Amino acid sequence: PAWWREHHHDIVRESWRAAAAAPRSARPWLVLALAFERVGRDGDAAAAYHRVTHLFPGHRIARKAIDRIRSRHGDALPEATPDDRLRNEFGLEP
């Protein structure tokens, strides 16, 4: 967990950039979701996993992760941070 916290901003920025460069790829969203999940931002993690399931409805890893997050929050998914706030927080380009 300490490593993820230390590198969180860099991982988020690079994953976001990679997702913009390859919009049909699940990998950047999976890395982004994992980074959010590892630092306790379950709402943001669930939103990223949902983007993967939107691209690939049967994606097993994303579906299992969403179920895992749901189980931690009593079958409800926590709310995600809006994209514009994430951009400001991480200095991301729109």
Side-chain angles (χ1 to χ4, degrees):
W3 184 89
W4 285 97
R5 279 191 297 278
E6 183 179 332
H7 298 286
H8 182 67
H9 276 72
D10 294 332
I11 294 167
V12 170
R13 279 194 297 270
E14 187 58 26
S15 296
W16 197 281
R17 186 202 59 75
R24 298 285 310 152
S25 177
R27 186 169 290 162
W29 291 110
L30 290 170
V31 172
L32 184 64
L34 184 61
F36 280 132
E37 194 173 1
R38 296 294 176 155
V39 297
R41 293 178 67 161
D42 284 348
D44 294 325
Y49 285 127
H50 272 292
R51 289 190 188 196
V52 173
T53 61
H54 178 73
L55 291 170
F56 304 98
H59 200 283
R60 183 180 48 83
I61 294 169
R63 292 206 172 276
K64 286 176 83 173
I66 291 167
D67 290 344
R68 181 175 59 244
I69 292 170
R70 231 184 223 126
S71 72
R72 286 196 296 255
H73 295 276
D75 277 341
L77 287 174
E79 206 165 309
T81 306
D83 283 353
D84 57 331
R85 283 187 49 209
L86 285 176
R87 285 187 186 101
N88 290 336
E89 180 180 350
F90 295 100
L92 301 167
E93 295 295 321

Coordinates of all heavy atoms in Angstrom, one line a residue:
P1 N 0.8 -1.2 0.0 CA 0.0 0.0 0.0 C 0.8 1.3 0.0 O 0.5 2.2 -0.6 CB -0.8 -0.1 1.3 CG -0.9 -1.6 1.6 CD 0.4 -2.1 1.0
A2 N 2.0 1.3 0.7 CA 2.8 2.5 0.7 C 3.3 2.8 -0.6 O 3.4 4.0 -1.0 CB 4.0 2.3 1.7
W3 N 3.7 1.8 -1.4 CA 4.2 2.0 -2.7 C 3.2 2.7 -3.6 O 3.4 3.6 -4.4 CB 4.7 0.7 -3.4 CG 5.4 0.9 -4.7 CD1 6.7 1.2 -5.0 CD2 4.7 0.9 -6.0 NE1 6.9 1.3 -6.3 CE2 5.7 1.2 -7.0 CE3 3.4 0.7 -6.4 CZ2 5.4 1.2 -8.3 CZ3 3.1 0.8 -7.7 CH2 4.1 1.0 -8.7
W4 N 2.0 2.1 -3.5 CA 0.9 2.7 -4.3 C 0.6 4.1 -4.0 O 0.3 4.9 -4.8 CB -0.4 1.8 -4.1 CG -0.3 0.5 -4.9 CD1 0.0 -0.7 -4.3 CD2 -0.6 0.3 -6.3 NE1 0.0 -1.6 -5.3 CE2 -0.4 -1.1 -6.5 CE3 -1.0 1.1 -7.3 CZ2 -0.5 -1.6 -7.8 CZ3 -1.1 0.6 -8.6 CH2 -0.9 -0.8 -8.8
R5 N 0.6 4.5 -2.7 CA 0.4 5.8 -2.3 C 1.5 6.7 -2.8 O 1.2 7.8 -3.2 CB 0.2 5.9 -0.7 CG -1.1 5.6 -0.2 CD -1.3 5.9 1.3 NE -0.4 5.2 2.1 CZ -0.5 4.0 2.6 NH1 -1.6 3.3 2.3 NH2 0.4 3.4 3.4
E6 N 2.7 6.3 -2.7 CA 3.8 7.1 -3.1 C 3.8 7.4 -4.7 O 4.1 8.5 -5.1 CB 5.1 6.3 -2.8 CG 6.4 7.1 -3.1 CD 7.6 6.3 -2.7 OE1 7.6 5.5 -1.8 OE2 8.6 6.5 -3.4
H7 N 3.3 6.4 -5.4 CA 3.3 6.6 -6.9 C 2.0 6.8 -7.5 O 1.8 6.8 -8.7 CB 3.9 5.3 -7.5 CG 5.4 5.1 -7.1 ND1 6.4 5.8 -7.6 CD2 5.9 4.2 -6.2 CE1 7.5 5.4 -7.1 NE2 7.3 4.4 -6.2
H8 N 1.0 7.0 -6.6 CA -0.4 7.1 -7.1 C -0.6 8.2 -8.2 O -1.2 7.9 -9.2 CB -1.3 7.4 -5.9 CG -2.8 7.5 -6.2 ND1 -3.5 6.4 -6.7 CD2 -3.6 8.5 -6.2 CE1 -4.7 6.8 -6.9 NE2 -4.8 8.1 -6.6
H9 N -0.1 9.4 -7.9 CA -0.3 10.5 -8.9 C 0.3 10.1 -10.3 O -0.3 10.4 -11.3 CB 0.2 11.8 -8.4 CG -0.7 12.5 -7.5 ND1 -1.0 12.1 -6.2 CD2 -1.4 13.6 -7.7 CE1 -1.9 12.9 -5.7 NE2 -2.2 13.8 -6.5
D10 N 1.5 9.6 -10.3 CA 2.1 9.2 -11.5 C 1.4 8.1 -12.3 O 1.2 8.2 -13.5 CB 3.6 8.8 -11.3 CG 4.5 9.9 -10.7 OD1 4.2 11.1 -11.1 OD2 5.4 9.6 -10.0
I11 N 0.9 7.1 -11.5 CA 0.2 6.0 -12.1 C -1.1 6.6 -12.7 O -1.5 6.2 -13.9 CB -0.1 4.9 -11.1 CG1 1.1 4.3 -10.6 CG2 -1.1 3.9 -11.7 CD1 1.0 3.4 -9.4
V12 N -1.8 7.4 -12.0 CA -3.1 8.0 -12.5 C -2.9 8.8 -13.8 O -3.5 8.6 -14.8 CB -3.8 8.8 -11.4 CG1 -5.0 9.6 -12.0 CG2 -4.3 7.9 -10.3
R13 N -1.9 9.7 -13.7 CA -1.6 10.5 -14.9 C -1.2 9.7 -16.1 O -1.7 9.9 -17.2 CB -0.5 11.5 -14.6 CG -1.0 12.8 -13.8 CD 0.0 13.9 -13.8 NE 1.2 13.5 -13.2 CZ 1.5 13.7 -11.9 NH1 0.6 14.2 -11.1 NH2 2.6 13.3 -11.3
E14 N -0.4 8.7 -15.9 CA 0.1 7.9 -17.1 C -1.1 7.0 -17.6 O -1.2 6.8 -18.8 CB 1.3 7.0 -16.7 CG 1.9 6.3 -17.8 CD 2.4 7.1 -18.9 OE1 2.7 8.3 -18.7 OE2 2.4 6.6 -20.1
S15 N -1.9 6.4 -16.7 CA -3.0 5.6 -17.1 C -4.0 6.4 -17.9 O -4.6 6.0 -18.9 CB -3.6 4.9 -15.9 OG -2.7 4.1 -15.3
W16 N -4.3 7.6 -17.4 CA -5.3 8.5 -18.0 C -4.8 8.9 -19.4 O -5.5 8.9 -20.4 CB -5.4 9.8 -17.2 CG -6.6 10.6 -17.5 CD1 -6.8 11.4 -18.6 CD2 -7.9 10.6 -16.8 NE1 -8.0 12.0 -18.6 CE2 -8.7 11.5 -17.5 CE3 -8.3 10.0 -15.7 CZ2 -10.0 11.8 -17.1 CZ3 -9.6 10.3 -15.2 CH2 -10.4 11.2 -15.9
R17 N -3.5 9.2 -19.6 CA -2.9 9.5 -20.9 C -3.0 8.3 -21.8 O -3.4 8.4 -23.0 CB -1.4 9.9 -20.7 CG -0.8 10.4 -22.0 CD 0.7 10.3 -22.0 NE 1.2 8.9 -21.8 CZ 1.2 7.9 -22.7 NH1 0.7 8.1 -23.8 NH2 1.7 6.7 -22.4
A18 N -2.7 7.1 -21.3 CA -2.7 5.9 -22.1 C -4.2 5.6 -22.5 O -4.4 5.1 -23.6 CB -2.1 4.7 -21.3
A19 N -5.1 5.8 -21.6 CA -6.5 5.6 -22.0 C -7.0 6.5 -23.1 O -7.7 6.2 -24.0 CB -7.4 5.7 -20.8
A20 N -6.5 7.8 -23.1 CA -6.8 8.7 -24.1 C -6.2 8.3 -25.4 O -6.8 8.5 -26.5 CB -6.4 10.1 -23.7
A21 N -5.0 7.8 -25.4 CA -4.3 7.4 -26.6 C -4.8 6.1 -27.2 O -4.7 5.9 -28.4 CB -2.8 7.2 -26.3
A22 N -5.4 5.3 -26.4 CA -5.9 4.0 -26.9 C -7.3 3.8 -26.2 O -7.5 3.0 -25.3 CB -5.0 2.8 -26.5
P23 N -8.3 4.5 -26.7 CA -9.6 4.5 -26.1 C -10.3 3.1 -26.1 O -11.2 2.9 -25.3 CB -10.5 5.5 -26.9 CG -9.7 5.8 -28.1 CD -8.3 5.4 -27.9
R24 N -9.9 2.2 -26.9 CA -10.6 0.9 -26.9 C -9.8 -0.2 -26.2 O -10.1 -1.4 -26.3 CB -10.8 0.4 -28.4 CG -11.7 1.3 -29.2 CD -13.1 1.1 -29.0 NE -13.6 -0.3 -29.0 CZ -14.6 -0.7 -28.3 NH1 -15.3 0.1 -27.5 NH2 -14.9 -2.0 -28.3
S25 N -8.8 0.3 -25.4 CA -8.0 -0.7 -24.6 C -8.5 -0.7 -23.2 O -8.7 0.3 -22.5 CB -6.5 -0.2 -24.7 OG -5.7 -1.1 -23.8
A26 N -8.6 -1.9 -22.6 CA -9.0 -2.1 -21.2 C -7.8 -1.9 -20.3 O -8.0 -1.4 -19.1 CB -9.6 -3.5 -21.0
R27 N -6.6 -2.2 -20.7 CA -5.4 -2.1 -19.8 C -5.2 -0.8 -19.0 O -5.1 -0.9 -17.8 CB -4.2 -2.5 -20.6 CG -3.0 -2.7 -19.6 CD -1.8 -3.3 -20.3 NE -2.2 -4.7 -20.5 CZ -1.6 -5.5 -21.4 NH1 -0.6 -5.0 -22.1 NH2 -1.9 -6.7 -21.5
P28 N -5.3 0.3 -19.7 CA -5.1 1.6 -18.9 C -6.1 1.8 -17.8 O -5.8 2.2 -16.7 CB -5.1 2.7 -19.9 CG -5.0 2.1 -21.3 CD -5.4 0.6 -21.1
W29 N -7.4 1.4 -18.2 CA -8.5 1.5 -17.2 C -8.3 0.6 -16.0 O -8.6 0.9 -14.9 CB -9.8 1.4 -17.8 CG -10.1 2.5 -18.7 CD1 -10.2 2.5 -20.1 CD2 -10.4 3.9 -18.3 NE1 -10.5 3.8 -20.6 CE2 -10.6 4.6 -19.5 CE3 -10.5 4.5 -17.1 CZ2 -10.9 6.0 -19.5 CZ3 -10.7 5.9 -17.1 CH2 -10.9 6.6 -18.3
L30 N -7.8 -0.6 -16.3 CA -7.6 -1.6 -15.2 C -6.5 -1.1 -14.3 O -6.6 -1.3 -13.1 CB -7.2 -3.0 -15.8 CG -8.3 -3.7 -16.5 CD1 -7.8 -4.9 -17.2 CD2 -9.4 -4.1 -15.5
V31 N -5.4 -0.6 -14.9 CA -4.3 -0.1 -14.0 C -4.8 1.1 -13.2 O -4.5 1.2 -12.0 CB -3.1 0.3 -14.9 CG1 -2.0 1.1 -14.1 CG2 -2.5 -0.9 -15.6
L32 N -5.6 2.0 -13.8 CA -6.1 3.1 -13.1 C -7.0 2.7 -12.0 O -6.9 3.2 -10.8 CB -6.9 4.0 -14.1 CG -7.5 5.3 -13.6 CD1 -6.4 6.2 -13.1 CD2 -8.3 6.0 -14.6
A33 N -7.9 1.7 -12.2 CA -8.8 1.2 -11.2 C -8.0 0.6 -10.1 O -8.3 0.8 -8.9 CB -9.7 0.2 -11.8
L34 N -7.0 -0.2 -10.4 CA -6.2 -0.9 -9.3 C -5.5 0.2 -8.5 O -5.5 0.1 -7.3 CB -5.2 -1.8 -10.0 CG -4.4 -2.6 -9.0 CD1 -5.2 -3.5 -8.1 CD2 -3.4 -3.5 -9.8
A35 N -5.0 1.2 -9.1 CA -4.3 2.3 -8.4 C -5.3 3.0 -7.4 O -4.9 3.2 -6.2 CB -3.7 3.3 -9.3
F36 N -6.5 3.3 -7.9 CA -7.5 3.9 -7.0 C -7.9 2.9 -5.9 O -8.0 3.3 -4.7 CB -8.7 4.3 -7.8 CG -8.6 5.6 -8.5 CD1 -9.0 5.7 -9.8 CD2 -8.1 6.7 -7.9 CE1 -8.8 6.9 -10.5 CE2 -8.0 7.9 -8.6 CZ -8.4 8.0 -9.9
E37 N -8.1 1.7 -6.2 CA -8.5 0.7 -5.2 C -7.4 0.5 -4.1 O -7.7 0.4 -2.9 CB -8.8 -0.7 -5.9 CG -9.5 -1.6 -5.0 CD -9.9 -2.9 -5.7 OE1 -9.7 -3.0 -6.9 OE2 -10.5 -3.7 -5.0
R38 N -6.1 0.5 -4.5 CA -5.0 0.3 -3.6 C -4.9 1.4 -2.6 O -4.3 1.2 -1.5 CB -3.7 0.1 -4.3 CG -3.7 -1.2 -5.1 CD -3.7 -2.4 -4.3 NE -3.8 -3.6 -5.1 CZ -3.4 -4.7 -4.8 NH1 -2.9 -5.0 -3.6 NH2 -3.4 -5.7 -5.6
V39 N -5.3 2.6 -2.9 CA -5.2 3.7 -2.0 C -6.5 4.0 -1.3 O -6.7 5.1 -0.7 CB -4.6 5.0 -2.7 CG1 -3.2 4.8 -3.2 CG2 -5.5 5.6 -3.8
G40 N -7.5 3.1 -1.5 CA -8.8 3.3 -0.8 C -9.8 4.1 -1.4 O -10.8 4.5 -0.8
R41 N -9.7 4.4 -2.7 CA -10.7 5.3 -3.4 C -11.6 4.3 -4.2 O -11.5 4.3 -5.4 CB -10.0 6.3 -4.3 CG -9.2 7.3 -3.5 CD -8.5 8.3 -4.3 NE -9.4 9.1 -5.0 CZ -9.0 10.3 -5.5 NH1 -7.8 10.7 -5.4 NH2 -9.9 11.0 -6.2
D42 N -12.4 3.6 -3.5 CA -13.2 2.6 -4.1 C -14.2 3.1 -5.1 O -14.5 2.5 -6.1 CB -14.0 1.8 -3.0 CG -13.1 0.8 -2.3 OD1 -12.0 0.6 -2.8 OD2 -13.6 0.3 -1.3
G43 N -14.8 4.3 -4.9 CA -15.7 4.9 -5.9 C -15.0 5.1 -7.2 O -15.6 4.8 -8.3
D44 N -13.8 5.7 -7.2 CA -13.1 6.0 -8.4 C -12.7 4.6 -9.0 O -12.7 4.5 -10.3 CB -11.9 6.9 -8.1 CG -12.3 8.3 -7.7 OD1 -13.4 8.7 -8.2 OD2 -11.6 8.8 -6.9
A45 N -12.3 3.7 -8.2 CA -11.9 2.4 -8.8 C -13.1 1.7 -9.5 O -13.0 1.2 -10.6 CB -11.4 1.5 -7.6
A46 N -14.3 1.7 -8.8 CA -15.5 1.1 -9.4 C -15.8 1.8 -10.7 O -16.2 1.1 -11.7 CB -16.6 1.2 -8.4
A47 N -15.7 3.1 -10.8 CA -16.0 3.8 -12.0 C -15.0 3.4 -13.2 O -15.5 3.2 -14.3 CB -15.9 5.4 -11.8
A48 N -13.8 3.2 -12.9 CA -12.8 2.8 -13.9 C -13.1 1.3 -14.3 O -13.0 1.0 -15.5 CB -11.4 2.9 -13.3
Y49 N -13.4 0.5 -13.3 CA -13.8 -0.9 -13.7 C -15.0 -0.9 -14.6 O -15.1 -1.7 -15.5 CB -14.0 -1.7 -12.4 CG -12.7 -2.1 -11.7 CD1 -12.6 -1.9 -10.4 CD2 -11.7 -2.8 -12.4 CE1 -11.4 -2.3 -9.7 CE2 -10.5 -3.2 -11.7 CZ -10.4 -2.9 -10.4 OH -9.3 -3.3 -9.7
H50 N -16.0 0.0 -14.3 CA -17.2 0.1 -15.1 C -16.9 0.5 -16.5 O -17.5 0.0 -17.5 CB -18.2 1.0 -14.5 CG -19.1 0.3 -13.5 ND1 -20.1 -0.6 -13.9 CD2 -19.2 0.4 -12.2 CE1 -20.7 -1.1 -12.8 NE2 -20.2 -0.5 -11.8
R51 N -15.9 1.3 -16.7 CA -15.5 1.7 -18.0 C -15.0 0.5 -18.8 O -15.2 0.3 -20.0 CB -14.5 2.8 -18.0 CG -15.1 4.1 -17.6 CD -14.1 5.3 -17.8 NE -14.7 6.5 -17.2 CZ -14.3 7.7 -17.4 NH1 -13.3 7.9 -18.3 NH2 -14.9 8.7 -16.8
V52 N -14.3 -0.4 -18.1 CA -13.8 -1.6 -18.7 C -15.0 -2.5 -19.1 O -15.0 -3.0 -20.3 CB -12.8 -2.4 -17.8 CG1 -12.5 -3.8 -18.4 CG2 -11.6 -1.6 -17.5
T53 N -16.0 -2.6 -18.2 CA -17.1 -3.5 -18.6 C -18.0 -2.8 -19.7 O -18.7 -3.5 -20.4 CB -18.0 -3.8 -17.4 OG1 -18.5 -2.6 -16.8 CG2 -17.2 -4.6 -16.3
H54 N -17.9 -1.5 -19.8 CA -18.6 -0.9 -20.9 C -17.9 -1.2 -22.3 O -18.6 -1.5 -23.3 CB -18.6 0.6 -20.7 CG -19.2 1.4 -21.8 ND1 -20.6 1.4 -22.0 CD2 -18.7 2.1 -22.8 CE1 -20.9 2.1 -23.1 NE2 -19.7 2.6 -23.6
L55 N -16.6 -1.3 -22.2 CA -15.8 -1.6 -23.4 C -16.0 -3.1 -23.7 O -16.1 -3.6 -24.9 CB -14.3 -1.3 -23.3 CG -14.0 0.2 -23.3 CD1 -12.5 0.3 -22.8 CD2 -14.2 0.8 -24.6
F56 N -15.9 -3.9 -22.7 CA -15.9 -5.4 -22.8 C -16.8 -6.0 -21.7 O -16.4 -6.3 -20.6 CB -14.5 -6.0 -22.6 CG -13.4 -5.4 -23.5 CD1 -12.6 -4.4 -23.1 CD2 -13.3 -5.9 -24.8 CE1 -11.7 -3.8 -24.0 CE2 -12.4 -5.3 -25.7 CZ -11.6 -4.3 -25.2
P57 N -18.1 -6.1 -22.1 CA -19.1 -6.5 -21.1 C -18.8 -7.8 -20.3 O -19.2 -7.9 -19.1 CB -20.4 -6.7 -21.9 CG -20.2 -5.8 -23.1 CD -18.7 -5.8 -23.4
G58 N -18.1 -8.7 -20.9 CA -17.9 -10.0 -20.1 C -16.5 -10.0 -19.5 O -16.1 -11.1 -19.1
H59 N -15.9 -8.8 -19.3 CA -14.5 -8.8 -18.7 C -14.5 -9.4 -17.3 O -15.1 -8.7 -16.3 CB -14.0 -7.4 -18.7 CG -12.5 -7.3 -18.6 ND1 -11.8 -7.5 -17.5 CD2 -11.6 -7.2 -19.6 CE1 -10.5 -7.4 -17.7 NE2 -10.3 -7.2 -19.0
R60 N -14.0 -10.5 -17.1 CA -14.0 -11.3 -15.8 C -13.3 -10.5 -14.7 O -13.8 -10.4 -13.6 CB -13.4 -12.6 -16.0 CG -13.4 -13.5 -14.8 CD -12.8 -14.9 -15.1 NE -11.5 -14.8 -15.7 CZ -10.3 -14.6 -15.1 NH1 -10.3 -14.5 -13.8 NH2 -9.2 -14.5 -15.7
I61 N -12.1 -10.0 -15.0 CA -11.4 -9.3 -13.9 C -12.1 -8.0 -13.4 O -12.3 -7.8 -12.2 CB -10.0 -8.9 -14.4 CG1 -9.2 -10.1 -14.7 CG2 -9.3 -7.9 -13.4 CD1 -7.9 -9.8 -15.4
A62 N -12.7 -7.2 -14.3 CA -13.4 -6.0 -13.9 C -14.7 -6.4 -13.2 O -15.0 -5.8 -12.1 CB -13.7 -5.2 -15.1
R63 N -15.4 -7.4 -13.6 CA -16.6 -7.8 -12.9 C -16.3 -8.3 -11.5 O -17.0 -8.0 -10.6 CB -17.3 -8.9 -13.7 CG -17.9 -8.3 -15.0 CD -19.1 -9.1 -15.5 NE -19.7 -8.5 -16.6 CZ -20.6 -7.5 -16.5 NH1 -20.9 -7.0 -15.3 NH2 -21.2 -7.0 -17.6
K64 N -15.3 -9.1 -11.4 CA -14.9 -9.6 -10.0 C -14.5 -8.5 -9.1 O -14.8 -8.4 -7.9 CB -13.8 -10.6 -10.1 CG -14.2 -12.0 -10.7 CD -13.1 -12.9 -10.8 CE -12.8 -13.6 -9.5 NZ -11.8 -14.7 -9.7
A65 N -13.8 -7.5 -9.7 CA -13.4 -6.3 -8.9 C -14.6 -5.5 -8.4 O -14.6 -5.0 -7.3 CB -12.4 -5.5 -9.7
I66 N -15.5 -5.3 -9.3 CA -16.7 -4.6 -8.9 C -17.5 -5.3 -7.8 O -17.9 -4.7 -6.8 CB -17.6 -4.3 -10.2 CG1 -17.0 -3.3 -11.1 CG2 -19.0 -3.9 -9.7 CD1 -17.6 -3.3 -12.5
D67 N -17.6 -6.6 -7.9 CA -18.2 -7.4 -6.9 C -17.5 -7.3 -5.6 O -18.1 -7.2 -4.5 CB -18.3 -8.9 -7.3 CG -19.3 -9.1 -8.4 OD1 -20.2 -8.2 -8.6 OD2 -19.3 -10.2 -9.0
R68 N -16.1 -7.3 -5.6 CA -15.3 -7.1 -4.4 C -15.6 -5.8 -3.7 O -15.7 -5.7 -2.5 CB -13.8 -7.3 -4.8 CG -12.9 -7.2 -3.7 CD -11.4 -7.5 -4.1 NE -11.0 -6.5 -5.1 CZ -10.6 -6.9 -6.3 NH1 -10.7 -8.1 -6.7 NH2 -10.2 -6.0 -7.2
I69 N -15.6 -4.7 -4.5 CA -15.9 -3.4 -4.0 C -17.3 -3.3 -3.4 O -17.5 -2.8 -2.3 CB -15.7 -2.3 -5.1 CG1 -14.2 -2.2 -5.4 CG2 -16.2 -1.0 -4.6 CD1 -13.9 -1.4 -6.7
R70 N -18.2 -3.9 -4.1 CA -19.6 -3.9 -3.6 C -19.7 -4.6 -2.3 O -20.4 -4.2 -1.4 CB -20.5 -4.6 -4.7 CG -21.7 -3.9 -5.0 CD -22.6 -4.6 -6.0 NE -23.0 -3.7 -7.0 CZ -22.8 -3.8 -8.3 NH1 -22.3 -4.9 -8.8 NH2 -23.2 -2.9 -9.1
S71 N -19.0 -5.7 -2.2 CA -19.1 -6.5 -0.9 C -18.5 -5.7 0.3 O -18.9 -5.8 1.4 CB -18.3 -7.8 -1.0 OG -16.9 -7.7 -1.1
R72 N -17.5 -4.8 0.0 CA -17.0 -4.0 1.1 C -17.9 -2.9 1.5 O -17.8 -2.3 2.6 CB -15.6 -3.4 0.6 CG -14.5 -4.3 0.6 CD -13.2 -3.6 0.5 NE -13.0 -2.8 -0.7 CZ -12.2 -3.2 -1.7 NH1 -11.5 -4.3 -1.7 NH2 -12.0 -2.4 -2.8
H73 N -18.9 -2.5 0.6 CA -19.7 -1.4 0.9 C -21.2 -1.8 1.0 O -22.1 -1.0 0.7 CB -19.6 -0.3 -0.2 CG -18.2 0.3 -0.2 ND1 -17.9 1.3 0.6 CD2 -17.1 -0.1 -0.9 CE1 -16.6 1.6 0.4 NE2 -16.1 0.8 -0.5
G74 N -21.5 -3.0 1.4 CA -22.8 -3.5 1.6 C -23.7 -3.5 0.3 O -24.8 -3.0 0.3
D75 N -23.1 -4.0 -0.8 CA -23.8 -4.1 -2.1 C -24.1 -2.8 -2.7 O -24.8 -2.8 -3.7 CB -25.1 -4.9 -2.0 CG -24.9 -6.4 -2.0 OD1 -23.8 -6.8 -2.5 OD2 -25.8 -7.2 -1.6
A76 N -23.6 -1.7 -2.2 CA -23.7 -0.4 -2.9 C -22.3 0.0 -3.3 O -21.3 -0.2 -2.6 CB -24.3 0.6 -1.9
L77 N -22.2 0.6 -4.5 CA -21.0 1.2 -4.9 C -20.8 2.6 -4.4 O -21.8 3.4 -4.6 CB -20.8 1.1 -6.4 CG -20.6 -0.3 -7.0 CD1 -20.7 -0.2 -8.5 CD2 -19.3 -0.9 -6.5
P78 N -19.7 3.0 -3.9 CA -19.5 4.4 -3.5 C -19.4 5.3 -4.7 O -19.1 4.8 -5.8 CB -18.2 4.3 -2.7 CG -17.5 3.1 -3.2 CD -18.5 2.1 -3.6
E79 N -19.8 6.5 -4.5 CA -19.8 7.5 -5.6 C -18.4 7.8 -6.0 O -17.5 8.0 -5.2 CB -20.5 8.7 -5.1 CG -21.1 9.5 -6.3 CD -22.1 10.5 -5.8 OE1 -23.0 10.2 -5.0 OE2 -22.0 11.7 -6.3
A80 N -18.2 8.0 -7.3 CA -16.9 8.3 -7.9 C -16.7 9.8 -7.9 O -17.7 10.6 -8.0 CB -16.8 7.7 -9.3
T81 N -15.5 10.2 -7.9 CA -15.2 11.6 -8.1 C -15.4 12.0 -9.5 O -15.1 11.3 -10.5 CB -13.7 11.9 -7.8 OG1 -13.4 11.4 -6.5 CG2 -13.3 13.3 -7.9
P82 N -16.1 13.2 -9.8 CA -16.4 13.6 -11.2 C -15.0 13.8 -11.9 O -14.0 14.1 -11.4 CB -17.1 14.9 -11.0 CG -17.6 14.9 -9.6 CD -16.7 14.1 -8.8
D83 N -15.1 13.5 -13.3 CA -13.9 13.6 -14.1 C -13.2 14.9 -14.0 O -12.0 15.0 -14.0 CB -14.2 13.2 -15.5 CG -14.4 11.8 -15.8 OD1 -14.1 11.0 -14.8 OD2 -14.8 11.4 -16.9
D84 N -14.0 16.0 -14.0 CA -13.4 17.3 -13.9 C -12.6 17.6 -12.6 O -11.5 18.2 -12.6 CB -14.4 18.5 -14.1 CG -15.5 18.4 -13.1 OD1 -15.9 17.3 -12.6 OD2 -16.1 19.5 -12.9
R85 N -13.1 17.0 -11.5 CA -12.3 17.1 -10.3 C -11.1 16.3 -10.3 O -10.0 16.6 -9.8 CB -13.2 16.7 -9.1 CG -14.1 17.8 -8.7 CD -14.9 17.6 -7.4 NE -14.1 17.2 -6.3 CZ -14.5 16.4 -5.3 NH1 -15.8 15.9 -5.3 NH2 -13.7 16.1 -4.4
L86 N -11.1 15.1 -10.9 CA -10.0 14.2 -11.1 C -8.9 15.0 -11.9 O -7.7 14.9 -11.6 CB -10.3 12.9 -11.8 CG -11.0 11.9 -10.9 CD1 -11.4 10.6 -11.7 CD2 -10.2 11.5 -9.7
R87 N -9.3 15.6 -13.0 CA -8.4 16.3 -13.9 C -7.7 17.4 -13.1 O -6.5 17.6 -13.2 CB -9.1 17.0 -15.0 CG -9.5 16.0 -16.1 CD -10.1 16.7 -17.3 NE -10.6 15.7 -18.3 CZ -11.9 15.4 -18.4 NH1 -12.8 15.9 -17.7 NH2 -12.2 14.5 -19.3
N88 N -8.4 18.1 -12.3 CA -7.8 19.2 -11.4 C -6.9 18.6 -10.4 O -5.8 19.1 -10.2 CB -8.9 20.0 -10.7 CG -9.6 20.9 -11.7 OD1 -9.1 21.2 -12.8 ND2 -10.8 21.3 -11.4
E89 N -7.3 17.5 -9.7 CA -6.5 16.9 -8.7 C -5.2 16.4 -9.2 O -4.1 16.5 -8.6 CB -7.3 15.8 -8.0 CG -6.5 15.1 -6.9 CD -7.4 13.9 -6.3 OE1 -8.6 13.8 -6.6 OE2 -6.8 13.2 -5.5
F90 N -5.2 15.8 -10.4 CA -4.0 15.2 -10.9 C -3.3 16.0 -12.1 O -2.4 15.5 -12.7 CB -4.3 13.7 -11.4 CG -4.8 12.8 -10.3 CD1 -6.1 12.6 -10.1 CD2 -3.8 12.3 -9.5 CE1 -6.5 11.7 -9.0 CE2 -4.2 11.5 -8.4 CZ -5.5 11.2 -8.2
G91 N -3.8 17.2 -12.3 CA -3.2 18.0 -13.4 C -3.3 17.4 -14.7 O -2.4 17.4 -15.5
L92 N -4.5 16.8 -15.0 CA -4.7 16.1 -16.3 C -5.2 17.0 -17.3 O -6.0 17.9 -17.0 CB -5.7 14.9 -16.1 CG -5.2 13.9 -15.1 CD1 -6.4 13.0 -14.8 CD2 -4.1 13.1 -15.6
E93 N -4.9 16.8 -18.6 CA -5.5 17.5 -19.7 C -6.8 17.0 -20.0 O -7.0 15.8 -20.0 CB -4.5 17.4 -20.9 CG -3.2 18.1 -20.7 CD -3.3 19.6 -20.5 OE1 -4.1 20.2 -21.2 OE2 -2.6 20.1 -19.7
P94 N -7.8 17.8 -20.4 CA -9.1 17.3 -20.8 C -9.1 16.4 -22.1 O -8.2 16.5 -22.8 CB -9.9 18.5 -21.0 CG -9.0 19.7 -21.0 CD -7.7 19.2 -20.5

